[in-house]
């Protein structure tokens, strides 16, 4: 009953993964709408957002939310807010994050040369394939080789982690101090609306009592 009358093709799924059907503005508005309505204290929500934003600058692709949730529990933040924060690393921003993080990390570590986003993600794909091959080789006769992973670790992953930690810390701090007043403002406005609603109900009940008695 809840299925689509016309299932989406793989091409449509891939396209929607890169660009949401309603556009990024609509998706961002929806995420902010869900974020500010979370039933939690503003500083806990802000901690969660900061944790998610920080992890979105890390090279742990595919594990951002899991690690952000663990970090969130450690700092007593809101886990759902951390999930929203991880959207800072999306298909549009991730290439720029990767390029900036690897470049900054290589500079900090004193490594020469620059890398394009294509090279970075290609090496991530090769490292993932090599890791899977070595894991499977442990249960079969195939040989294992870790030389490529060693180069990937020193040339890309470690610089990405170092540069991403610096960039992520700055972005997380900004998101934390931006989120708190915004959530507080929403909660105050919601509180005023609730007080006005209660006052109207009391006024209606007080006004109806004497009228009923005189009648």
């Amino acid at each position: 009953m809840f299925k689509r009358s016309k299932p989406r093709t793989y091409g449509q799924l891939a396209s929607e993964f890169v660009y949401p059907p309603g556009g990024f503005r609509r998706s961002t508005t929806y995420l902010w709408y869900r974020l500010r309505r979370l039933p939690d204290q503003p500083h806990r929500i802000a901690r969660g957002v900061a944790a998610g934003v920080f992890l979105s600058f890390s090279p742990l692709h595919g594990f951002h939310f899991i690690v952000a949730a663990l970090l969130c529990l450690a700092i007593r933040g809101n886990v759902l807010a951390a999930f929203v924060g991880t959207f800072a690393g999306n298909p549009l921003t991730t290439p720029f994050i990767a390029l900036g993080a690897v470049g900054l990390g290589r500079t900090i570590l004193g490594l020469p040369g620059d890398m394009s986003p294509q090279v970075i993600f290609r090496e991530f794909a090769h490292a993932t394939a090599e890791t899977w091959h070595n894991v499977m080789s442990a249960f079969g006769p195939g040989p294992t080789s870790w030389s490529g992973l060693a180069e990937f670790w020193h040339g890309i992953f470690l610089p990405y982690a170092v540069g991403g930690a610096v960039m992520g810390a700055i972005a997380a701090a900004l998101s934390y101090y931006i989120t708190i007043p915004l959530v507080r403002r929403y909660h105050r406005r919601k509180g005023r609306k609730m007080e006005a609603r209660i006052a109207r109900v009391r006024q209606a009940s007080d006004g109806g009592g004497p009228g009923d008695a005189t009648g």
Side-chain angles (χ1 to χ4, degrees), residues 31-42 44-46 48-49 77-85 179 183 186-187 190:
L31 289 175
W32 166 240
Y33 174 80
R34 299 302 303 172
L35 177 66
R36 67 183 187 178
R37 291 176 66 89
L38 289 176
D40 208 342
Q41 300 175 3
R44 284 177 51 86
I45 295 175
V49 173
N78 187 286
V79 176
L80 292 179
F83 173 72
V84 175
T179 301
V183 175
Y186 172 77
H187 285 181
K190 184 178 180 181

Side-chain angles (χ1 to χ4, degrees), residues 51-52 55-56 58 60-74 79 82-84 86:
L55 264 298
S56 67
S58 76
L60 303 175
H61 298 292
F63 300 94
H64 283 166
F65 174 63
I66 296 175
V67 182
L70 295 175
L71 175 60
C72 210
L73 294 175
V79 176
F83 173 72
V84 175
T86 58

Side-chain angles (χ1 to χ4, degrees), residues 97-173:
I97 292 175
L99 184 62
V102 172
L104 178 60
R106 290 177 70 87
T107 300
I108 294 174
L109 297 174
L111 300 176
D114 298 326
M115 291 187 178
S116 66
Q118 293 84 355
V119 173
I120 295 172
F121 291 116
R122 185 185 65 198
E123 293 302 320
F124 264 95
H126 288 169
T128 302
E130 187 171 340
T131 301
W132 178 252
H133 171 75
N134 289 336
V135 170
M136 297 304 296
S137 297
F139 302 95
T144 60
S145 174
W146 300 96
S147 59
L149 288 176
E151 295 177 2
F152 169 76
W153 170 265
H154 292 290
I156 295 180
F157 190 91
L158 185 58
Y160 197 144
V162 173
V166 176
M167 296 171 58
I170 297 173

Side-chain angles (χ1 to χ4, degrees), residues 185-200:
R185 186 183 307 169
Y186 172 77
H187 285 181
R188 285 196 297 266
R189 185 168 66 248
K190 184 178 180 181
R192 287 195 296 267
K193 289 182 179 179
M194 181 61 68
E195 291 175 358
R197 187 179 303 171
I198 294 174
R200 287 195 299 269

